[in-house]
Structure formats: structure tokens, C-alpha cells
Amino acid sequence: MNTPLQWLPAQGEPAQLMVLLHGVGSSAQGMAPLAAQLQRAFPQAAIVAPDGFEPLDVDPSGRARQWFSIAGVTEDNRPARVAEALPALADWLRQTQARLGVGPAATALFGFSQGAIMALELAQVHDGLAGRVLSFSGRYAALPEVAPALTTLHFLHGGADPVIPAQHARDAIERLAGLQGDATIDIAEGVGHEINGHLLQCALHRLTSHIPHRTWAEALGAAPARPRAGQPAEDADDDTCST
């Protein structure tokens, strides 16, 4: 694995950790524009972008990376491929948190496409290892049977995405709502398979304004559950980016 790219606060210790996971065939460098935007919005955050742990199957140079192979990938075999790749990412994230002195609750994973698939699965298998997951143009390898209790999920998707259709995000939100998970969705109509400026603004809004369900539950002295109607966290089916 190559040395991750990282952007650290100009002064003082990091208050948050933001990890950026690129899509298949890209690299950490491809997440640099997103890192620059996040650095402006969160100057005390440590932002880290690793390369996918495997070289892209069809690129002998090794410059293009992947988290798992998509050669011959199907709905049936995708979950096993993700599961096989996940332990290395979980170990790397723990090491990065320890190195930078930032705990899981203050960690946010930003995944794009295949990177989002990995981030969502990480939240399923290691609930609470990150406080937030932001899935851009992503999907579940397989829809979950239980919802994370300690990780908030934000789905951000282009309505015209031809690679991973937005219906995957809608299906995920419907499943998570039934499981009483803490999740939001933003669909930008007319946007394709990309992190565009509008979706990024939605992500920043979610990070700064969404109050996790578990926080409401703790404040009310109750077990984790969906908040009552009217509380700010009740937006699991909001399409605030729709036009």
C-alpha cells in the first residue's frame, strides 16, 4: 500500500478525522479536490485519503487502484468480495485513528462509488468504528438485516447516475427506516456518477446540522430509537437536494 495522502490542521491537534475512499480505477489523488473543500469547511480536521489496497485488475502499472475486483462481479459474489477486503481497511482505520489521536465518534468516512460500498460495509461489520458514513454514488453489497446503532449514514446520489442508479440509495433508506436506523438521503436530480458541488453542500449540511438519533435518545434518557415526530433527526427519507 502506498503512503496515504493527508491534510492536517495548520495549528493544534486534529478535532476530527475524515477519511476519503475513492472509486474503482482511481486513487487517493482523485479525492484531493474533495479534501480541499473539506479542509476549508473543517480547518481542525485531519483528512486522510488512502489508495485502494489492490492494483486495478486491468492496469499493470499499479497507478489505478481498487478495493476489490469487479472482474466478473455479480450480485451474488459481490458481498464475499467486499467481506474479504474489509479486514485490511478496518485495521488501517484503527491504526490511523490511533496515530492521529482521533476516536471513532469523531471519525467520518467519505466513500465514492466502490469506496462507498466499503464504507457502508465497514459500518455494518464494525458498528461505531466511525461516527458517520457519507456514501456518494454508493450502494450496499447486500441490503442489511440490522441497522448500525452507533454510526449515522448519509446517502448522497445523483438522480441520473448511470453506473450505480439512485434506486440503490432509495432501497437502502427504505430498508434502514424499517430497521429504525439513523440515516438520511439526498438526491440531486440531473446529476450523474460524481460528487458535484450541490451534493457536497448537502453533505456539509448533514455533517453540521443532523443530530444523530442516539444523541436524542441519550438526552431523553431512553434506549436508542427513532425520535418523535418533529425532532430534527427525523429525516431518514428527506430528499433535500431534489429539484
Side-chain angles (χ1 to χ4, degrees), residues 43-216:
Q44 284 306 119
I47 304 169
V48 183
D51 281 329
F53 297 162
E54 300 179 3
L56 184 67
D57 289 331
V58 296
D59 180 18
S61 74
R63 289 189 292 270
R65 311 295 296 181
Q66 64 187 23
W67 299 101
F68 59 88
S69 174
I70 60 171
V73 70
T74 66
E75 291 295 312
D76 290 335
N77 65 30
R78 184 183 290 106
R81 295 186 185 194
V82 175
E84 184 178 1
L86 198 64
L89 179 60
D91 289 346
W92 175 87
L93 180 56
R94 292 189 183 96
Q95 293 167 11
T96 301
Q97 289 169 333
R99 176 172 63 84
L100 295 171
V102 179
T107 298
L109 301 182
F110 292 71
F112 174 68
S113 193
Q114 192 183 75
I117 295 174
M118 295 295 295
L120 289 169
E121 187 66 12
L122 190 71
Q124 285 301 122
V125 177
H126 302 283
D127 185 12
L129 188 54
R132 306 259 185 156
V133 166
L134 295 97
S135 168
F136 288 91
S137 298
R139 57 165 292 177
Y140 278 110
L143 288 173
E145 298 299 325
V146 296
L150 302 174
T151 301
T152 299
L153 308 174
H154 302 293
F155 293 84
L156 303 113
H157 222 108
D161 190 335
V163 179
I164 299 180
Q167 189 60 43
H168 284 290
R170 296 188 176 102
D171 290 345
I173 282 292
E174 182 177 355
R175 174 63 62 88
L176 290 164
L179 297 171
Q180 303 205 350
D182 186 9
T184 69
I185 185 171
D186 295 296
I187 305 292
E189 297 302 335
V191 174
H193 195 67
E194 59 182 298
I195 303 176
N196 80 336
H198 192 44
L199 285 175
L200 177 57
Q201 289 306 309
C202 290
L204 297 178
H205 171 73
R206 294 301 190 182
L207 285 172
T208 56
S209 68
H210 178 80
I211 301 174
H213 294 175
R214 58 188 177 276
T215 302
W216 277 106

